[in-house]
């Protein structure tokens, strides 16, 4: 059923890419260049800038303005890789839109839109990351001149990492501790010019540069920024919410949660990115595994495709199932985000806490899983491009603990007799049923392991049990009269586990819910198999939790392990069609191993011949080092 | 001056760091020699790695060749010899950043597989660098499965030569180090054909480049395979052979020979051909897996006491990130693993040396065990260490991703160790085949090697632990690991038998059990590692302080394994849910205990700052200053970016056309 499934899956899930945009880019000679693998970092940066500049021109030329279309166009131009204008388009412009006053928008937005201003978003400092309150950069208001004086008082306060800061930007939105009338008012955002318009030289008082080579992100000029008594006008503080009046009076914002909106948004994008990166990795690994032959399964027969080995299927198919699962999670978060943000615009903040907790946890869960999966596929390029997402926009452990805070809070609400809603509503059952691990043995016989819905129930029970255990351990530490913070720290390993279990449940639930929306029977069948594999594989990798809580018995675990292996064989015939459905163009994949036509070896040889070390028949080091040595010895 | 957050960690050490270092080195004298080697290498500017992170592949390769050439001079100057006590420290001192490593494998394979006559001819040439060797086994389409190699060597009676050919593209040799640009000769593994009959894979010495002008020999196509995830300094190469003729004497013939009339004579076990790989697998455990993990732990733990983040208590300074339980839970088990694998390496070295003496006497009895051990432990240790290094990298937040932290290059290099010298899954299956065989033999009452006699003692029953303190007893947890290993080996063996008895063909049955077989092989290696750690601690009587902290690390390594693989211990009820909670409690308690000695424990690995080459991990903890200074040296900051004049300027100024 190969190709039919491919088309049907694409239709069912709208895994549609913008055909015209794709053609516009891939057929445009201006966007062609030498294989990036053979370029130095400086050359890669230059290529990326060239393409970004060209991209902006072409977007205007073609009149592409819809954000979704821009997204696809950009992703084709840069083939899914980071680029120096990412922060300008993804952070600088949106922050202006959401946090600038109308007057500020008049001054900055159009120039920025037209790229007279190229901006970045400078938050992280060398010594301070996810814990925003710890940032040290200061902005001190001087009422005499009506200016803010910006300073980087210590080495640790140097802004470090912002993309596009090193070489590209001439402006930055800088997050700094605001001091006015002798008091610290916490973090605020300021629009700071950093380079001279015209010459692009750093302005006096500004030290700016590239932070050097990294693990991936070669084309991005992640930068540092040091400010010494650098003055900007009062009107350069982003003042849609908080304000500093000319005399230095500080006016508080209505809600401090609102400024977190941008980060929630970015985190929700990372979930979608996790799905796409993992899909690319699966596409390459599965296609290659169908081309590569190795050893023998049956004596005397030719070497089989390595995809026929159970161990290879066991490595790859659960990842394939995960890639599909994350697609659905990404779509769900995107929808939820746009719904909640329209509520926020109408002044309703009630869903913000759960959204914040959910995006934090799912960002961590999906980026961890995807990055481990990409590593399993052993794909250096995708790995280094994707894996930093475990750290940026909130370090994952910290993210998990944020989710845990919400879970514990919800648990406590339930314990005190209130009901909770949304994804955590399973906690309501805890008080009614009082799940006792010792007494559930009788109940477990009813978990049929071939039904996704009942597996979701098992995940739910596990999440409930781990949330409860973490909350109780936390309470026990508090009963030992430890300080709140100390007790939290001593329970944090439990808390992270509880968050992971919660996220795992949410993902299994969303995947399962998606099945009923599929009308095409063949697609529903193959998706149900993937969904089962996702759920069962997760159980087999975490058997301890399910056994210990008495959710499943030994015998059932054995069945689960057995069923996982059966599913591998069932999915095998559709494996290539399932990755073809992701519909990555060869150019986008950028992989010799993952080519659609499978002509791996011929192309690998052609590719290697272009390597810089092969530029000359005899390498210069022969004359420099080898020959003199041989002459001497 | 030392950063005071790091300095304070060293004042509270519960043991003498110097004594621990000496013990790890196998005695103070070894420490002295090691430091002398490191000192001599590091004070020589040719060996500097200062600019490594900024260099291109071409520059890295050239530097590695320069170092390799200079090393010959240096050894001569210092009076170091290949058999001297200094030799094994040279590679560590260079951090492996040197060319001609495959030249050494070339020599080793001739020493092991060559006749006395061949050794007498080739080894002096190679040690004098009159030729540069490589080792060409892997092909574009064929890796770990040697029988699948497609390169052919056909014996020509008339000329007494072998004719070597690459019959198709997937048969091209691909990956051998030193072969892309440097090597003049290589050992080629090819299917031997005599009079139309195939005798399997054999090694042949083939000249590939001219000794005069280094140009390629007739019939040879060779070059560099292009950029990789790591090993930028090595010219991994490709090689195509077109009717290349080598004399009959160029087949390495200690164990098999083709006589002038074409008669094929076997002089020993076929397995011996793979003995070079067995030795390489054992020797890479320390250099390529354990030492990189030790370095990663050193960097991550030192950084974690300098880095402060958020507040543990209101009103206080931001806390050292190592004071967070979650950070401890990331790093300290990796530290314990570094120690565990250091000891397992000692154990394997001993086992191997014993085996090697036997092989020299042409007694091949120990080969299956040796082969299984080298395969299983190579796979288990490299896989474990790779994950561990990655955890260290991620535990350093954003700065971990800077190449200047040293962690990405450690990670990419160690990741390769999971694949080269045998892909890990295949190696684990080889170990599993041995375990399965031994289990069947033991069940039938036949003798098995001492390392696996435990498989005969299948015990049912439950773990006797009553409190969380009981889980700090090595007997309790070693027993649990043993039980788990036996259960996994025996249940897989039973399933395999069942399938075969129910009529499934043997190879199909094997493939259907491979996921479990891999699990069983890992469980076996994990058990032996825990047991060996516990025994090592037990034997360590002289130093109370050191024994105490080693005992903690051993407990942590063991309990971490149970905590993170809870399912396999709970599965048959050997541990109860309540006992698993005790394991968790003891495990988490240990983190806080080991936390206090974390910095001294990495200091004891005794890496110099130059060796670590990390802005985050140096001894003085001046993390941020160093990061800032090093970044400014980046070539991207040295020049005005050409991208500005060419692309940014028109973009920034050409507003009209955009609107």
């Amino acid at each position: 059923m190969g190709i039919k499934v491919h088309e049907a899956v694409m239709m069912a899930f709208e895994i549609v890419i913008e055909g015209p945009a794709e053609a516009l880019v891939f057929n445009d000679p201006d966007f062609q260049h030498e294989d990036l693998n053979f370029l130095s970092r400086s050359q890669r940066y230059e290529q990326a800038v060239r393409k970004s500049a060209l991209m902006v021109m072409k977007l205007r030329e073609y009149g592409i303005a819809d954000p979704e279309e821009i997204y696809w166009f950009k992703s084709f131009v840069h083939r899914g890789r980071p680029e120096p204008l990412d922060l300008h388009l993804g952070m600088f412009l949106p922050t202006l839109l959401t946090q600038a006053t109308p007057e500020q928008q008049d001054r900055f937005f159009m120039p920025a839109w037209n790229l007279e201003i190229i901006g970045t978003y400078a938050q992280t400092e060398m010594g301070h990351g996810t814990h925003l309150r710890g940032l040290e950069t200061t902005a001190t208001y001087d009422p005499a001149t009506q200016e803010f004086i910006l300073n980087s008082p210590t080495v640790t306060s140097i802004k470090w990492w912002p993309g596009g800061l090193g070489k590209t930007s001439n402006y930055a939105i800088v997050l700094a501790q605001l001091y006015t009338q002798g008091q610290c008012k916490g973090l605020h955002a300021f629009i700071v010019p950093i380079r001279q318009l015209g010459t692009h030289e750093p302005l006096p008082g500004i030290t700016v540069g590239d932070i050097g080579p990294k693990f991936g992100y070669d084309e991005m000029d992640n930068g540092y920024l040091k400010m010494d008594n650098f003055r900007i006008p009062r009107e350069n503080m982003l003042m849609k919410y908080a304000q500093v009046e000319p005399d230095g009076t500080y006016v508080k914002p209505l809600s401090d949660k609102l400024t977190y909106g941008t980060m929630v948004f970015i985190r929700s994008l990372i979930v979608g990115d996790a799905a796409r990166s993992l899909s690319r990795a699966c596409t390459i690994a599965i296609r290659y595994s169908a081309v590569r032959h190795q050893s023998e399964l049956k004596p005397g027969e030719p070497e089989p495709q390595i995809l026929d080995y159970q161990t290879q299927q066991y490595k790859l198919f659960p990842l394939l199932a995960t890639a599909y699962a994350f697609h659905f999670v990404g779509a769900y978060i995107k929808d939820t985000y746009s719904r909640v943000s329209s509520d926020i615009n109408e002044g309703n903040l009630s869903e913000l806490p759960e959204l914040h907790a959910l995006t934090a946890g799912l960002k961590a869960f999906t980026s961890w899983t995807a990055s481990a999966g990409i590593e399993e596929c052993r794909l250096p390029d995708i790995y280094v491009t994707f894996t930093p997402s475990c750290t940026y926009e909130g370090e994952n452990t910290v993210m998990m603990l944020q989710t845990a805070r919400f879970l514990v809070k919800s648990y406590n609400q339930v314990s005190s007799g209130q009901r909770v809603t949304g994804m955590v509503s399973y906690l309501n059952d805890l008080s009614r049923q009082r799940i006792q691990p010792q007494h559930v043995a009788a109940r477990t016989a009813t978990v049929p392991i071939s039904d996704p819905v009942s597996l979701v129930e098992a995940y739910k029970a596990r999440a409930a049990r781990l949330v409860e255990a973490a909350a109780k351990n936390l309470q026990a530490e508090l009963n030992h009269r430890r300080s709140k913070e100390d007790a939290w720290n001593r329970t944090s390993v439990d808390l992270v586990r509880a968050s992971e279990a919660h996220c795992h449940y949410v993902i299994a639930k969303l995947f399962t819910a998606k099945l009923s929306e599929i009308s095409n029977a063949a697609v529903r069948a193959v998706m149900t198999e993937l969904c089962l594999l996702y759920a069962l594989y997760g159980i087999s990798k975490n058997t301890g939790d399910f056994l210990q809580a008495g959710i499943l018995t030994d015998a059932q675990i054995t069945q689960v392990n057995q069923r996982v292996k059966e599913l591998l064989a069932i999915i095998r015939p559709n494996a290539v069609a399932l990755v073809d459905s992701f519909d990555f163009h060869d150019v986008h994949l950028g992989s010799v191993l993952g080519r659609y036509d499978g002509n791996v070896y011929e192309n690998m040889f052609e590719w290697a011949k272009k390597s810089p070390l092969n530029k000359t028949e005899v390498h210069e080091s022969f004359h420099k080092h080898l020959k003199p040595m041989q002459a001497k010895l | 001056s030392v950063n005071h957050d790091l300095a304070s960690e060293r004042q509270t050490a519960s043991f003498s760091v110097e004594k621990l270092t000496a013990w790890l080195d196998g005695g103070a004298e070894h420490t002295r020699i090691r430091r002398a080697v490191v000192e001599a290498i590091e004070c020589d500017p040719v060996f500097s790695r200062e600019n490594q992170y900024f260099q291109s592949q071409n520059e890295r390769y050239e530097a590695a060749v320069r170092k390799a050439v200079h090393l010959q001079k240096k050894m001569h100057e210092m009076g170091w010899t290949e058999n001297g006590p200094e030799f094994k420290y040279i590679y560590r001192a260079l951090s492996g950043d040197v060319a001609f490593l495959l030249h050494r494998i070339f020599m080793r394979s001739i020493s092991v597989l060559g006749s006395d006559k061949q050794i007498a001819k080739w080894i002096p040439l190679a040690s004098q660098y009159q030729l540069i060797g490589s080792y060409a086994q892997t092909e574009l389409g064929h890796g770990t499965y040697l029988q699948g190699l497609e390169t052919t060597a056909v014996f020509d009676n008339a000329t007494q030569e072998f004719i070597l050919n690459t019959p198709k593209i997937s048969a091209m040799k691909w990956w051998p180090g030193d072969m892309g640009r440097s090597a003049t000769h290589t050992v080629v593994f090819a299917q031997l054909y005599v009079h139309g009959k195939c005798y399997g894979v054999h090694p042949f010495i083939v000249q590939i480049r001219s000794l005069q002008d280094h140009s390629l020999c007739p019939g040879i196509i060779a070059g560099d395979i292009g950029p990789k995830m790591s090993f930028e300094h090595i010219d991994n190469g490709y090689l195509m052979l077109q009717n290349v003729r080598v004399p009959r004497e160029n087949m390495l013939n200690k164990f098999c020979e083709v006589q002038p009339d074409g008669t094929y004579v076997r002089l020993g076990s076929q397995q011996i051909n793979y003995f070079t790989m067995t030795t390489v697998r054992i020797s890479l455990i320390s250099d390529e897996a354990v030492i990189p993990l030790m370095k990663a732990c050193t960097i991550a733990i030192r950084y974690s006491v300098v880095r402060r983040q958020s507040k543990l208590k209101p009103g206080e300074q931001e806390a050292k990130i190592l004071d967070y339980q979650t950070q401890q839970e990331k790093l300290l088990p990796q530290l314990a693993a570094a120690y565990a694998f250091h000891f397992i390496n000692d154990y394997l070295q001993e086992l191997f040396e014993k085996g090697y003496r036997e092989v020299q006497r042409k007694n091949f009895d120990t080969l299956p065990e040796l082969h299984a051990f080298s395969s299983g432990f190579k796979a288990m240790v490299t896989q474990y260490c790779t994950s561990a290094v990655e955890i260290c990298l991620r535990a350093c937040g954003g700065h971990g991703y800077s190449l200047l932290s040293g962690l990405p290059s450690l990670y990419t290099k160690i990741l390769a160790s999971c694949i080269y010298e045998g892909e890990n899954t295949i190696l684990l299956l080889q170990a599993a085949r041995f375990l399965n065989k031994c289990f069947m033999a033991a069940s039938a009452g036949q003798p098995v090697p001492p390392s696996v006699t435990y498989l005969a003692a299948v015990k049912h029953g439950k773990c006797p632990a009553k409190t969380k303190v009981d889980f700090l007893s090595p007997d309790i947890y070693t027993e649990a690991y043993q039980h788990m290993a036996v259960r996994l080996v025996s249940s897989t063996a039973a399933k395999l038998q069942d399938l075969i008895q129910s009529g499934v063909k043997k190879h199909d049955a094997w493939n259907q059990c491979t996921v479990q077989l891999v699990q069983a092989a890992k469980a076996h290696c994990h058990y032996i590692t825990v047991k060996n750690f516990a025994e090592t601690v037990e034997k360590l009587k002289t130093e109370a302080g050191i024994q105490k902290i080693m005992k903690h690390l051993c407990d942590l390594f063991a309990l971490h394994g149970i905590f993170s693989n809870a399912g396999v211990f709970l599965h048959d009820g050997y541990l109860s849910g309540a006992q698993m909670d005790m394991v968790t409690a003891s495990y988490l308690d240990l983190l806080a205990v080991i936390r206090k000695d974390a910095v001294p424990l990495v200091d004891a690995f005794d890496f110099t700052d130059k060796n670590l080459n990390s802005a985050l991990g140096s001894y003085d903890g001046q993390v941020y200053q160093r990061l800032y200074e090093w970044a400014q040296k980046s070539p991207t900051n040295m020049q005005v970016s050409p991208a500005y004049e060419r692309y940014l300027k028109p973009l920034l100024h050409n507003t009209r056309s955009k609107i």
Side-chain angles (χ1 to χ4, degrees), chain B residues 209-237:
Chain B
R209 287 191 177 88
S210 150
L211 289 171
Q212 269 64 53
D213 62 4
H214 216 241
S215 62
L216 292 172
C217 292
I220 301 283
I221 297 172
D224 178 88
I225 63 162
K228 303 142 290 187
M229 191 167 184
S230 180
F231 290 95
E232 299 87 344
H233 63 295
I234 299 291
D235 54 324
N236 297 86

Side-chain angles (χ1 to χ4, degrees), chain A residues 46 114 371 383 485 554, chain B residues 312 390 394 571 646 658:
Chain A
E46 195 182 323
N114 288 327
S371 126
Y383 181 79
E485 294 75 16
D554 291 354
Chain B
L312 265 174
E390 199 202 354
R394 291 195 194 188
H571 188 91
R646 282 188 209 153
K658 284 177 283 181

Side-chain angles (χ1 to χ4, degrees), chain A residues 626 629-630 633, chain B residues 100 103 106-107 110 121-134 182-186 205-207 209-211 214:
Chain A
L626 294 178
M629 170 183 72
Q630 287 171 333
L633 280 168
Chain B
F100 305 160
H103 181 69
F106 172 82
M107 288 172 67
I110 293 174
K121 174 174 179 192
W122 295 103
I123 295 296
L125 289 173
S127 37
Q128 291 292 309
Y129 283 90
Q130 295 304 307
L131 57 83
I132 294 163
S134 176
S182 306
T184 60
H185 287 68
T186 184
I205 299 179
V206 179
Q207 181 172 354
R209 287 191 177 88
S210 150
L211 289 171
H214 216 241

Side-chain angles (χ1 to χ4, degrees), chain A residues 407 411 423-431 433-441 443-447 452-470 497-506 508-509 539 542-553 556:
Chain A
L407 293 173
Y411 175 83
M423 286 290 184
V424 287
S425 54
Y426 60 84
L427 293 171
N428 293 325
D429 304 340
L430 273 176
S431 59
Q433 295 183 356
R434 293 258 46 99
I435 293 177
Q436 296 291 339
Q438 293 85 336
H439 298 309
V440 283
R443 203 167 52 83
T444 58
T446 60
V447 180
V453 176
S454 56
L455 293 175
V456 172
E457 289 301 306
Y459 274 96
K460 187 199 268 190
R462 165 181 177 238
R465 191 252 164 197
L466 288 175
V467 171
E468 181 171 51
R497 285 177 76 192
S499 290
E500 283 174 345
H502 175 71
C503 293
H504 213 157
Y505 155 67
V506 169
K509 184 181 154 84
I539 293 175
N542 297 280
T543 52
D545 291 347
F546 292 91
L547 283 167
Q548 199 181 357
I551 301 161
L552 295 169
T553 62
Q556 285 176 315

Side-chain angles (χ1 to χ4, degrees), chain A residues 264-305:
Chain A
V264 170
F265 172 66
I266 295 287
R267 283 173 198 165
S268 73
L269 286 184
I270 291 176
V271 175
D273 231 35
R276 272 184 299 277
S277 299
L278 190 56
S279 306
R280 279 176 71 188
C282 285
T283 305
I284 297 170
I286 287 178
R287 284 184 186 160
Y288 176 62
S289 297
V291 172
R292 175 85 175 183
H293 290 253
Q294 168 102 354
S295 307
E296 49 182 25
L297 265 176
K298 292 177 196 168
E301 289 192 6
E303 298 183 56
Q305 294 164 288

Side-chain angles (χ1 to χ4, degrees), chain B residues 378-391:
Chain B
K378 182 269 176 181
M380 185 257 198
V381 176
T382 54
Q383 202 156 314
Y384 202 116
C385 290
T386 300
S387 317
V389 170
E390 199 202 354
I391 290 170

